[in-house]
């Protein structure tokens, strides 16, 4: 099976390339190969690549900058996704696409299910929700994977930011009233590998059983403050020299951002378990795996 991975230089794209390298024919497309800012070139690129499966890991993810770069966010996250979906529908090529917890407003008190209505607060969230709508309306044999709080051992993400700040500052102030589930790019790619191993002929039927949409995160939940505390503790246990001796919990109002964030963005795993028979590991365990990769194993482990 020939698989095209777009956004191959990003957090999820790199993890996917590692996960799928051993058993399939991969086409790795970075932004220089396929720039989703120019959707008019998508059809020709896909025709040339001749994929049996498309995995779209490319996205406009600058959440705050999207508030002022609305056209760019909309083009990449919505228009381009719709164009890929139409091509997939015409050629009957299965398509895996990633979306986000930011399509919800965060007013829930129980984990969001796939059937809950979307109500994004930010331009980024609205652009991702529109990408979902366009892809589903294309009737491509697709699967949208909504995930949350993605981090990895490379690139720009919360883990890397906290690790850097902890070496520069004696005190960190981190929001404690936004709740969700940190999810590593390795966890996401492992789930995709589980799907791909079903084989190309079975994928459209599998996607249809999931109503073409599934939520995927690590198990468990925490706050950004809880995540930061776990990161710093993990770094200390691995002997990384840090300046930070205190991580202060603050409300969101003390850390205003251009784009509003959902206060509660836990995603239900019921469809994930029922349709895919998949049970993700806890976020704390996944974090330790990523820290092991970047900083070595903790003393005594």
């Amino acid at each position: 099976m020939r698989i095209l991975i777009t956004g191959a230089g990003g957090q999820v794209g790199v993890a996917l390339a590692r996960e799928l390298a051993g058993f399939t024919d991969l086409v790795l497309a970075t932004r220089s190969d396929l720039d989703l800012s120019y959707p008019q070139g998508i059809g020709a690129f896909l025709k040339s690549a001749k994929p049996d499966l498309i995995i779209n890991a490319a996205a406009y993810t600058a959440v705050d900058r999207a508030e002022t770069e609305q056209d760019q966010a909309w083009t990449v996250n919505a228009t381009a996704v719709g164009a890929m979906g139409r091509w997939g529908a015409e050629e009957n090529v299965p398509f895996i696409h990633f979306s986000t917890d930011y399509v919800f407003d965060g007013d829930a008190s129980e984990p969001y299910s796939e059937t809950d209505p979307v109500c994004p607060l930010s331009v980024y969230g609205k652009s991702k929700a529109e990408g979902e709508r366009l892809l589903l309306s294309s009737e491509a044999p697709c699967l949208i994977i909504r995930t949350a709080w993605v981090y990895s051992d490379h690139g720009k993400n919360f883990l890397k930011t906290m690790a850097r700040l902890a070496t520069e500052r004696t005190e960190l102030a981190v929001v404690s009233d936004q709740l969700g589930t940190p999810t590593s790019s390795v966890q996401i790619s492992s789930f995709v590998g589980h799907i791909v191993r079903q084989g190309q002929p079975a994928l459209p039927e599998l996607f249809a059983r999931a109503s073409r949409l599934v939520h995927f995160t690590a198990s468990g939940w925490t706050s950004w403050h809880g995540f930061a505390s776990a990161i710093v503790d993990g770094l200390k246990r691995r002997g990384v020299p840090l300046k930070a001796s205190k991580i202060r919990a603050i409300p969101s109002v003390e850390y205003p951002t251009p784009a509003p964030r959902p206060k509660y963005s836990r995603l239900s795993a019921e469809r994930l378990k029922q349709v895919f028979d998949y049970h993700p590991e806890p976020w704390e365990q996944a974090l330790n795996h990523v820290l092991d990769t970047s900083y070595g194993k903790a003393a005594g482990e």
Side-chain angles (χ1 to χ4, degrees):
M1 179 164 52
R2 185 173 175 83
I3 299 179
L4 167 65
I5 300 175
T6 67
Q11 292 186 85
V12 175
V14 168
L16 285 168
R18 293 172 181 167
E19 172 71 24
L20 302 177
F23 63 92
T24 192
D25 178 16
L26 293 183
V27 178
L28 304 180
T30 64
R31 185 176 180 180
S32 62
D33 303 306
L34 177 62
D35 187 349
L36 299 190
S37 299
Y38 301 95
Q40 59 270 26
I42 288 174
F45 180 88
L46 294 178
K47 182 178 180 180
S48 175
K50 299 178 180 178
D52 299 308
L53 170 66
I54 301 168
I55 305 177
N56 181 37
Y60 181 105
T61 58
V63 176
D64 289 324
R65 202 163 67 236
E67 296 296 310
T68 55
E69 295 183 354
Q70 297 186 21
D71 289 346
Q72 178 79 349
W74 208 264
T75 298
V76 173
N77 291 342
T79 306
V81 175
M84 285 191 282
R86 289 191 298 275
W87 189 91
E90 291 170 1
E91 301 297 328
N92 197 33
V93 174
F95 183 16
I96 295 175
H97 173 67
F98 299 99
S99 193
T100 173
D101 57 318
Y102 280 41
V103 300
F104 297 114
D105 59 14
D107 286 342
S109 57
E110 296 291 335
Y112 284 100
S113 76
E114 292 83 355
T115 57
D116 286 326
V118 300
C119 186
L121 302 174
S122 63
V123 170
Y124 167 72
K126 291 174 183 176
S127 70
K128 294 295 287 184
E130 179 64 5
E132 292 184 6
R133 188 192 70 80
L134 291 173
L135 179 54
L136 292 173
S137 66
S138 74
E139 299 191 0
C142 67
L143 180 69
I144 297 170
I145 301 174
R146 285 190 190 134
T147 188
W149 294 25
V150 179
Y151 68 95
S152 72
D153 61 356
H154 72 282
K156 294 181 179 180
N157 57 70
F158 187 81
L159 166 63
K160 288 298 190 180
T161 298
M162 289 299 105
R164 174 178 57 81
L165 292 177
T167 65
E168 299 172 351
R169 304 178 184 178
T170 57
E171 180 180 289
L172 305 180
V174 185
V175 168
S176 61
D177 58 357
Q178 295 176 19
L179 305 179
T181 306
T183 305
S184 77
S185 62
V186 172
Q187 289 180 290
I188 296 169
S189 65
S190 295
F191 172 52
V192 173
H194 173 78
I195 294 172
V196 171
R197 289 182 180 92
Q198 312 300 311
Q200 196 273 346
L203 293 181
E205 180 183 346
L206 178 64
F207 295 171
R209 289 209 308 271
S211 299
R212 300 191 293 165
L213 175 63
V214 68
H215 288 171
F216 178 87
T217 65
S219 65
W221 60 276
T222 187
S223 66
W224 288 112
H225 177 267
F227 189 23
S229 299
I231 291 168
V232 171
D233 179 65
L235 293 172
K236 287 178 179 178
R237 289 188 288 108
R238 287 165 176 78
V240 179
L242 304 176
K243 285 187 178 180
S245 58
K246 181 179 181 180
I247 306 176
R248 183 164 55 91
I250 62 171
S252 298
V253 293
E254 289 189 23
Y255 190 75
T257 56
R261 267 70 168 172
K263 289 288 189 70
Y264 182 96
S265 60
R266 293 179 61 194
L267 302 179
S268 170
E270 288 308 306
R271 183 175 291 180
L272 176 71
K273 296 173 182 176
Q274 292 174 3
V275 176
F276 297 93
D277 190 26
Y278 201 87
H279 302 263
E281 66 184 348
W283 70 267
E284 300 95 333
Q285 185 175 338
L287 173 61
N288 276 323
H289 293 328
V290 175
L291 292 175
D292 286 346
T293 299
S294 296
Y295 304 98
K297 291 187 177 295
E301 293 186 0

